[in-house]
Amino acid sequence: MEIRIRGVSKHYFSEGKTIKALDDVTLTIPARKIFTLLGPSGCGKTTLLRCIVGLEMPDTGEISIGDDVVWSRDKAISVPPEKRGLGMVFQTYAIWPHMTVFDNVGYPLQVRGAPRDEVRERVAKALDFVQLAGFEGRPATKLSGGQQQRVALARALVAEPRVILFDEPLSNLDAKLREETRKELRAFLEKLQITAVYVTHDRVEALALSDTIAVMRAGSIIEIGTPRKIYFDADHRFVADFIGRANLFKARVRGEQGGHTVVDCPLGTIACQRRDFPAGGEATLCLRPEFIHLVRGEAPAGHNIVNARIETLTFVGENYETEIRVGEELLLARVDADASIAVGDAVSFSLDPAHCLLVAA
Ligand code: ATP
């Protein structure tokens, strides 16, 4: 079920101040895909999600789910949340501790007065789907964090919604469990083939889970794309920087050469991915640490070859994170955990133009 958001703005008034939470957002969320709203705290992700659900009224614009307009100021339409056919999973799960798994999952059906047999049948189906069959009688408190999260998912699914929405549902789990639950959730959603809207500020979660990511800042959508597009080929400096670790340099465009855009920057003259930037203009060069492959010793000058010195080394288990100095600049890079390299050593690296991303300055 596609969701269409057109010209949606939302202001809050608090302590005599106006806060622009959503600034004229226009967005189409595709059917049967996992669509993530990603952005820093306060950028408006939750507000947008709450507008879709109907827990918040926009000031302007229109929201449709499938063929139904669910909110429109101009047409004076405001469909209440329970009539929008949505399921929702929150950060705090909102699992009731005094209830059993069965009662938690069946609650949305019970409040609607569904017949007992239907409740039993649908709860069994939802629990079976999240692999919790047999847990019906268990008090909700006697479940692990990951299992509680699955109960919350089963409860969101029990009424067979058209769309399921998630507001930071994994943020209360510890790092390892979060990783496992993320994989599990992706598998469940793929199997369901349902439209899913997911809110997070965790970039790894967004990359791992989503079919499409919309990056937000200050109430606006900055860029939309697949995880690979957003990570490797962002159009905006903010997006390139937010989605992963990045070394960013001011660059001046020289022009095109051999299918690459060549720039002058503090690392020297560097051939980059081709971009339509005018010669003489400014751009930003973005280099991800994982594409800086250091070798020991100085290298003779050459195309895209940079000499550097190790400034710091931090052991983080799978490798060393290192800061390397090139003139005035400090770059983040990685070194194999078994590399015999020390602070002060001369190193060099060769940059593949395909991994030298140019974004607008
Ligand atoms: P987080 O990741 O921290 O949850 P978010 O991106 O989801 O942030 P929102 O919760 O949508 O951001 O908030 C957007 C802006 O609106 C913020 O500046 C926030 O302080 C403000 N805001 C949200 N709800 C209210 C409210 N009920 N009253 C006043 N201001 C609010």
Side-chain angles (χ1 to χ4, degrees), residues 247 289-290 292 294 320-324 331-335:
N247 297 293
E290 63 267 33
I292 299 176
L294 296 177
Y320 282 102
E321 286 180 0
T322 177
E323 287 171 303
I324 55 172
L331 281 73
L332 280 176
R334 287 181 195 155
V335 185

Side-chain angles (χ1 to χ4, degrees), residues 42-346:
C43 72
K45 310 177 291 290
T46 299
T47 303
L48 184 53
L49 196 79
R50 288 171 63 84
C51 286
I52 297 171
V53 176
L55 295 171
E56 213 66 75
M57 302 294 149
D59 303 330
T60 59
E62 187 167 301
I63 301 175
S64 315
I65 300 174
D67 294 331
D68 306 328
V69 176
V70 292
W71 196 88
S72 167
R73 170 144 311 251
D74 293 347
K75 297 175 190 157
I77 296 173
S78 179
V79 177
E82 65 279 9
K83 299 256 166 67
R84 294 192 183 190
L86 309 171
M88 181 130 185
V89 182
F90 297 94
Q91 183 174 0
T92 50
Y93 328 144
I95 293 289
W96 290 289
H98 58 284
M99 287 189 190
T100 61
V101 167
F102 180 91
D103 288 334
N104 264 288
V105 175
Y107 185 79
L109 301 175
Q110 274 156 355
V111 290
R112 281 184 214 172
R116 280 176 70 90
D117 284 352
E118 186 190 328
V119 175
R120 203 169 301 127
E121 198 179 302
R122 286 205 191 193
V123 170
K125 196 172 150 201
L127 285 177
D128 194 37
F129 184 78
V130 300
Q131 292 164 9
L132 282 179
F135 283 70
E136 286 82 350
R138 180 92 59 104
T141 44
K142 302 240 163 84
L143 295 171
S144 70
Q147 286 168 336
Q148 287 187 29
Q149 192 53 59
R150 269 146 64 190
V151 169
L153 178 61
R155 189 179 51 196
L157 293 175
V158 79
E160 299 183 355
R162 309 187 284 174
V163 174
I164 183 158
L165 302 108
F166 298 89
D167 192 359
E168 309 242 8
L170 307 183
S171 51
N172 283 339
L173 305 178
D174 68 51
K176 201 159 184 293
L177 189 57
R178 197 159 61 218
E179 219 175 292
E180 280 165 24
T181 313
R182 189 168 73 209
K183 269 192 233 151
E184 217 174 68
L185 187 60
R186 163 106 212 157
F188 286 145
L189 292 175
E190 267 176 0
K191 208 157 67 166
L192 268 177
Q193 287 284 300
I194 193 172
T195 306
V197 188
Y198 195 94
V199 159
T200 183
H201 62 264
D202 182 327
R203 57 195 174 81
V204 178
E205 202 165 292
L207 291 169
L209 251 176
S210 320
D211 294 306
T212 305
I213 299 173
V215 181
M216 292 185 71
R217 182 180 57 177
S220 297
I221 307 282
I222 304 293
E223 193 166 336
I224 300 176
T226 62
R228 291 187 70 85
K229 156 81 177 133
I230 294 285
Y231 190 82
F232 290 118
D233 201 12
D235 293 327
H236 296 81
R237 182 193 160 109
F238 171 78
V239 174
D241 197 19
F242 186 76
I243 197 70
R245 290 180 169 215
N247 297 293
L248 301 171
F249 307 97
K250 270 192 164 178
R252 188 159 295 281
V253 179
R254 275 191 172 215
E256 254 200 76
Q257 211 177 63
H260 300 125
T261 300
V262 179
V263 298
D264 288 322
C265 70
L267 304 183
T269 300
I270 303 291
C272 306
Q273 277 185 20
R274 212 191 76 75
R275 282 282 159 114
D276 282 331
F277 290 136
E282 280 197 349
T284 298
L285 169 60
C286 168
L287 286 180
R288 301 256 177 239
E290 63 267 33
F291 297 131
I292 299 176
H293 302 295
L294 296 177
V295 292
R296 258 148 56 104
E298 231 172 86
H303 285 308
N304 279 26
I305 291 185
V306 183
N307 281 300
R309 199 163 285 280
I310 301 281
E311 188 108 349
T312 65
L313 275 174
T314 309
F315 181 61
V316 292
E318 64 245 48
N319 53 31
Y320 282 102
E321 286 180 0
T322 177
E323 287 171 303
I324 55 172
R325 180 165 293 283
V326 180
E328 299 285 296
E329 304 284 339
L330 265 187
L331 281 73
L332 280 176
R334 287 181 195 155
V335 185
D336 284 348
D338 57 358
S340 47
I341 238 163
V343 169
D345 281 357

